[in-house]
Amino acid sequence: MPLSRDVYAELEQVVGPRHISDKPWILAGVRAAQPSSPMKPPSPEAVLLPGSAAEIQQIVRICNRHGIRYIATISSLIGFAYPSGPGTIILQLKRMNQLVEVNAQDRYAVIEPGVRHGQLRTELMKHGLTYPVAAVGPGGSVLANFACSSGDNHCQHGASRTNRYLLGLEWVTPEGELVRVGSLANDAGWFCADGPGPSLRGIIKGFVGQWSGMGVVTRIAIGLDAWRGPPELPTQGRSPSYRMRLDPACHKTFVFKFPTLEQARDAMIAIGEAEIAQAVLKYFNASAALLATESANEFWELWDSGLFQRELARPLYVFLSAWTHEELEYEECVLRDIIAEFGGADVDERIQRIYSDNMDFYILVGALQRVLRLGGGWAPCKLSGDSIGHMFEVGKAIPEFITPFIEQGRILDAPDNWQIIPLEYGHSAHIELLFLYDRNQPDWGKVPMDFMRASMQADIRNGHHGTMPLRTVAASQAIGALFSNAHMWANRVKDAFDPQRVSNPF
Ligand SMILES: Cc1cc2nc3c(=O)[nH]c(=O)nc-3n(C[C@H](O)[C@H](O)[C@H](O)COP(=O)(O)OP(=O)(O)OC[C@H]3O[C@@H](n4cnc5c(N)ncnc54)[C@H](O)[C@@H]3O)c2cc1C
């Protein structure tokens, strides 16, 4: 349903002719399927580049009047950043890229949607500040990650998931009202996400986010942590062959291996109880091999050598980051005691060196997009959160459904390519299973769907909180009962806030 000329003219009046287009070649660019996805997104009817919250409000009201769907996007690095159906316009928010305020005293930053990790992270380091950066890479939007989608990160053991860092926020509701949430509502500043009375924070972003299904977030404040590194990163070499080492007197990386998953789990819990370390992860092993190499050929050479399968089937990655050398020494002593108590050992020196030489794995401004390098298909699944113990139960059950896919050659033989990352010194944890598949096989498009369904069915069978209730109707109905019927609550909230169902409905 192309936009009528009248509606196009109405929208054009809001943003100006330079910032709207329905030219076929522009729309073709934004409807191109992601290489890993079998699904071709529906073409949008137009792309708009609004420059302010006031413009977004007007656009959203026009959409409500004419029954036009809309979706906000920035870098579109995930499948949910594409229109969920025909008759949709895209609000591309990259023009709204102001770092509005850095308040070093009260430790918060106010940002617009177009501010990227590469921009914010480097600026904050100059102020001695930082925040939990998603592994998405420097081009990802900070606001999208904190307020609209996902939020897990490598350093969340000593920090948290990004939704826990969300403070005051400014939001255009699905019907076009501008709402200031939290302390902002009383003109008390940006410092708090909850104001007097019932809080709206969870409507906008709970564990995951609304993927543009609940209006448009136009500005947020995020809480900041102290940064123990220098104002500028000490990088040597050029991408992709670069090294980044923080001061070894205060920063140290470790990779340990464990004989059993139970031992790795217990060590992870004990490290949290001791309240040491910035990062602790049971990390993916195939993704680690992708990060460790600079070309697809190099990856296959390394993977076929079997080193990462042998050494990193049950690893714990640990990053100690301290203010003083004495503090680092103390944390290392405690860590070594815990690793010994639970039967851990150092991994092969060749692997350890990768992380000592390049600490970017814990800083996350660079290399993470390398995990996409193989150019075939890949997708994540599970993605939910619960206690560390429960996440390991989910992990232990992975062979139940992954083995047939591997035996039939439908996915890469990497049954240990899953991660568990604790949050807030182990008070909860997140799990993710990444699978890679060859797009040259017949019916390749069925692989991700079949695999994700098998993974979800295993969770339902086992009563595991492993699969995050996704926004697609079928998946959320299937898994919702395990999460207090979250899908029914989500529907009621959607009906109340978006009665016309125009804010990117699923
Ligand atoms: C290689 C790779 C690694 C990743 N690793 C991580 C990770 O470690 N942790 C993690 O949390 N995520 C990760 N992601 C997922 C995801 O890309 C990120 O969550 C990221 O925040 C998305 O940023 P973006 O700029 O691409 O946002 P987009 O993809 O453009 O948007 C993300 C979602 O939010 C919606 N949205 C965007 N802006 C607004 C707005 N202003 N108001 C309302 N809705 C909006 C979009 O419609 C979309 O549904 C990864 C993705 C890739 C490709």
Side-chain angles (χ1 to χ4, degrees):
M1 184 192 69
L3 294 182
S4 74
R5 284 300 93 193
D6 288 351
V7 174
Y8 189 92
E10 253 188 274
L11 292 168
E12 189 180 58
Q13 241 185 353
V14 177
V15 289
R18 257 180 72 75
H19 299 126
I20 181 169
S21 179
D22 63 355
K23 299 272 186 284
W25 54 92
I26 299 280
L27 302 187
V30 284
R31 69 169 172 255
Q34 292 186 318
S36 59
S37 171
M39 279 176 294
K40 201 167 155 34
S43 182
E45 306 305 341
V47 181
L48 284 79
L49 285 88
S52 67
E55 286 184 9
I56 292 174
Q57 258 192 293
Q58 291 179 60
I59 295 166
V60 166
R61 286 186 170 149
I62 293 170
C63 288
N64 272 274
R65 259 203 316 280
H66 298 287
I68 300 162
R69 296 164 161 217
Y70 59 90
I71 178 171
T73 67
I74 296 121
S75 304
S76 295
L77 286 162
I78 44 174
F80 288 122
Y82 294 82
S84 58
T88 303
I89 59 169
I90 290 182
L91 310 187
Q92 165 48 260
L93 303 181
K94 64 182 172 190
R95 284 178 65 218
M96 296 172 66
N97 63 353
Q98 254 196 77
L99 169 49
V100 181
E101 182 187 350
V102 176
N103 188 322
Q105 191 177 9
D106 296 334
R107 285 203 189 158
Y108 67 78
V110 182
I111 50 171
E112 291 191 327
V115 172
R116 321 289 175 126
H117 292 291
Q119 181 186 350
L120 185 63
R121 182 74 146 99
T122 43
E123 182 58 32
L124 288 177
M125 286 187 306
K126 296 180 198 154
H127 298 266
L129 295 166
T130 185
Y131 64 95
V133 182
V136 61
S141 151
V142 183
L143 180 146
N145 191 261
F146 276 67
C148 313
S149 68
S150 313
D152 50 283
N153 57 87
H154 289 184
C155 290
Q156 64 191 14
H157 161 86
S160 193
R161 216 175 149 83
T162 56
N163 55 305
R164 303 271 278 169
Y165 279 71
L166 198 54
L167 304 175
L169 64 95
E170 190 187 83
W171 171 47
V172 174
T173 68
E175 292 187 288
E177 192 184 338
L178 186 74
V179 176
R180 289 153 68 84
V181 177
S183 46
L184 268 188
N186 303 321
D187 289 331
W190 290 91
F191 71 94
C192 184
D194 305 302
S199 173
L200 283 174
R201 183 215 309 233
I203 298 287
I204 292 156
K205 169 106 186 226
F207 185 74
V208 185
Q210 298 277 6
W211 317 101
S212 202
M214 194 53 72
V216 183
V217 181
T218 50
R219 248 177 212 200
I220 60 170
I222 64 169
L224 303 174
D225 292 325
W227 164 241
R228 299 185 194 89
E232 271 188 38
L233 291 174
T235 313
Q236 292 174 324
R238 283 181 192 282
S239 181
S241 309
Y242 68 98
R243 289 172 169 204
M244 191 192 293
R245 297 188 71 156
L246 297 179
D247 179 2
C250 296
H251 302 86
K252 200 161 175 184
T253 67
F254 305 82
V255 187
F256 303 107
K257 57 185 176 185
F258 288 83
T260 67
L261 279 175
E262 286 76 9
Q263 285 161 300
R265 174 199 64 199
D266 293 346
M268 184 184 272
I269 293 171
I271 296 169
E273 283 171 351
E275 295 190 6
I276 56 162
Q278 176 62 59
V280 179
L281 311 88
K282 184 259 167 233
Y283 195 60
F284 311 103
N285 62 350
S287 308
L290 278 163
L291 288 177
T293 48
E294 291 181 7
S295 69
N297 286 347
E298 247 187 57
F299 164 79
W300 286 116
E301 216 173 285
L302 176 61
W303 190 245
D304 290 342
S305 77
L307 177 69
F308 275 44
Q309 293 92 320
R310 260 194 327 274
E311 292 290 294
L312 297 177
R314 291 168 296 278
L316 274 197
Y317 285 51
V318 180
F319 175 46
L320 300 184
S321 170
W323 291 108
T324 62
H325 185 53
E326 291 72 21
E327 189 186 350
L328 183 75
E329 275 185 341
Y330 163 76
E331 291 207 4
E332 184 169 351
C333 282
V334 176
L335 177 66
R336 291 271 176 208
D337 278 355
I338 292 171
I339 299 305
E341 183 182 342
F342 293 102
D346 292 328
V347 291
D348 187 297
E349 170 58 25
R350 285 168 291 177
I351 296 177
Q352 177 57 60
R353 211 177 313 123
I354 295 168
Y355 297 93
S356 318
D357 281 352
N358 194 349
M359 296 181 178
D360 194 12
F361 183 78
Y362 298 104
I363 298 165
L364 290 169
V365 288
L368 256 290
Q369 293 287 335
R370 283 186 191 186
V371 299
L372 310 179
R373 185 201 310 111
L374 278 191
W378 71 281
C381 67
K382 300 295 186 196
L383 297 166
S384 194
D386 205 297
S387 66
I388 292 178
H390 190 66
M391 292 294 91
F392 271 88
E393 281 172 30
V394 176
K396 273 196 84 167
I398 287 173
E400 268 181 37
F401 63 90
I402 205 172
T403 310
F405 284 86
I406 292 174
E407 284 174 356
Q408 291 160 21
R410 297 182 80 194
I411 62 170
L412 179 73
D413 183 1
D416 300 311
N417 199 41
W418 49 278
Q419 68 171 6
I420 290 178
I421 320 184
L423 283 82
E424 300 177 16
Y425 292 131
H427 283 93
S428 60
H430 150 97
I431 188 165
E432 179 171 347
L433 165 62
L434 265 177
F435 57 101
L436 295 100
Y437 51 93
D438 187 348
R439 286 188 304 146
N440 291 318
Q441 62 188 300
D443 254 356
W444 71 271
K446 282 182 80 234
V447 175
M449 295 304 147
D450 290 351
F451 188 81
M452 287 188 217
R453 197 175 311 111
S455 163
M456 184 173 75
Q457 280 163 353
D459 285 335
I460 294 171
R461 238 182 0 259
N462 295 322
H464 283 161
H465 289 180
T467 303
M468 178 180 77
L470 283 170
R471 285 212 45 223
T472 49
V473 176
S476 69
Q477 279 177 353
I479 198 87
L482 275 178
F483 292 86
S484 309
N485 287 322
H487 59 300
M488 293 184 182
W489 290 102
N491 254 333
R492 284 192 202 172
V493 171
K494 181 78 174 160
D495 283 341
F497 281 88
D498 185 14
Q500 300 248 51
R501 298 239 164 197
V502 284
S503 181
N504 197 38
F506 281 85

